[in-house]
Amino acid sequence: MGFQQIEMPDHFGLDSTEPEADRLIGVANEQIERFMLSDQEVIENFVTCDFHLTQCALQWIRDNHLLTGERFCELGSGYGVVAMLAARMGMESIGIEIEQVLVDEANALAAQLSNDAAFHCGSFIPRETLENLDMDREIRNVTIEEDDVYREIGLAMNDFDLFFAFPWPGEQVFFERVVDKWAASGAMLLTYRGRDGMQLQRKD
Ligand SMILES: C[S@@+](CC[C@H](N)C(=O)[O-])C[C@H]1O[C@@H](n2cnc3c(N)ncnc32)[C@H](O)[C@@H]1O
């Protein structure tokens, strides 16, 4: 497996926040709270990352001209806030989410905010992934299901320049293996690691 780690600052500083991004995050947080308090069945695998920290990381990647292109994909996009932050920066941005109700919420929020991110229902794991993926540990919080959603979108994993994911503890390696198998050389994987902050890797 070939990834190069890219060191990011531990703290990005207050100047990395932007009023428009803050507004997007504020509106999204209100809607997520409303959604969580509604009568919806609990979606156990859905928790949100630190949107402010992730926005700072996206801006830092942008400011340092690290991307090979403009296509962004959030793997397991939940409410889609990170994909919307990437779209706000001018990226061609999509999210893939397995829970239809979250896809509907994300698309409705994007429409409300006039944000160009698009959300698609399906599994981010392409067909012919799992048989070759030597997984030595159990994956509990990703739905292990292969799908043709990229074909429906009209793009393949190797068309994207930056992936974002919020893996549950111990499941980072699964995302790395999927990206390593299918992404283009030079594509980047940004992950939110909870207490350990953000991690950025570039595929060899
Ligand atoms: C930890 S949440 C992160 C949500 C969002 N990315 C964020 O950071 O706020 C992980 C999301 O991945 C979704 N998910 C799990 N397995 C998936 C799969 N195979 N394909 C697409 N989405 C998946 C879950 O339903 C959940 O919404």
Side-chain angles (χ1 to χ4, degrees):
M1 182 159 67
F3 281 103
Q4 176 202 346
Q5 296 284 336
I6 297 179
E7 288 303 318
M8 284 193 293
D10 288 340
H11 304 284
F12 292 97
L14 284 175
D15 359 334
S16 348
T17 61
E18 278 188 33
E20 233 193 276
D22 287 349
R23 188 179 148 266
L24 190 160
I25 292 169
V27 174
N29 277 334
E30 276 170 25
Q31 301 224 357
I32 292 168
E33 198 179 329
R34 175 193 52 73
F35 176 78
M36 296 299 221
L37 294 173
S38 71
D39 290 336
Q40 288 289 342
E41 213 177 288
V42 175
I43 301 171
E44 294 200 350
N45 289 340
F46 173 56
V47 284
T48 58
C49 67
D50 180 332
F51 299 135
H52 278 288
L53 184 65
T54 309
Q55 154 66 20
C56 290
L58 290 175
Q59 191 60 54
W60 184 86
I61 291 168
R62 254 293 141 102
D63 292 347
N64 286 280
H65 308 288
L66 297 177
L67 294 173
T68 48
E70 293 294 326
R71 287 209 180 109
F72 178 93
C73 180
E74 184 171 3
L75 303 170
S77 47
Y79 234 86
V81 180
V82 179
M84 287 184 227
L85 290 169
R88 201 197 61 81
M89 285 180 186
M91 297 194 77
E92 187 186 328
S93 180
I94 65 148
I96 299 174
E97 167 59 52
I98 204 143
E99 300 286 349
Q100 182 70 59
V101 65
L102 290 173
V103 175
D104 294 344
E105 290 287 320
N107 277 322
L109 180 59
Q112 181 191 331
L113 294 169
S114 303
N115 185 287
D116 288 337
F119 298 94
H120 303 273
C121 191
S123 174
F124 66 80
I125 307 167
R127 294 216 185 274
E128 295 171 34
T129 299
L130 299 168
E131 62 189 13
N132 303 311
L133 218 63
D134 176 25
M135 290 308 302
D136 42 14
R137 66 183 87 197
E138 208 179 317
I139 300 296
R140 290 201 182 83
N141 302 102
V142 175
T143 304
I144 298 296
E145 193 179 302
E146 294 176 342
D147 203 351
D148 290 322
V149 69
Y150 296 95
R151 195 179 310 157
E152 287 161 30
I153 295 167
L155 293 168
M157 271 191 98
N158 65 9
D159 288 318
F160 292 94
D161 307 291
L162 178 60
F163 294 91
F164 169 76
F166 174 14
W168 285 72
E171 300 189 355
Q172 162 92 15
V173 71
F174 179 75
F175 287 83
E176 288 174 3
R177 290 193 178 163
V178 175
V179 170
D180 189 42
K181 179 160 175 56
W182 298 110
S185 169
M188 304 186 96
L189 173 62
L190 176 69
T191 43
Y192 172 67
R193 312 289 313 268
R195 252 177 285 159
D196 294 329
M198 309 298 302
Q199 176 171 291
L200 183 62
Q201 295 161 287
R202 187 191 290 284
K203 192 182 155 183
D204 291 339

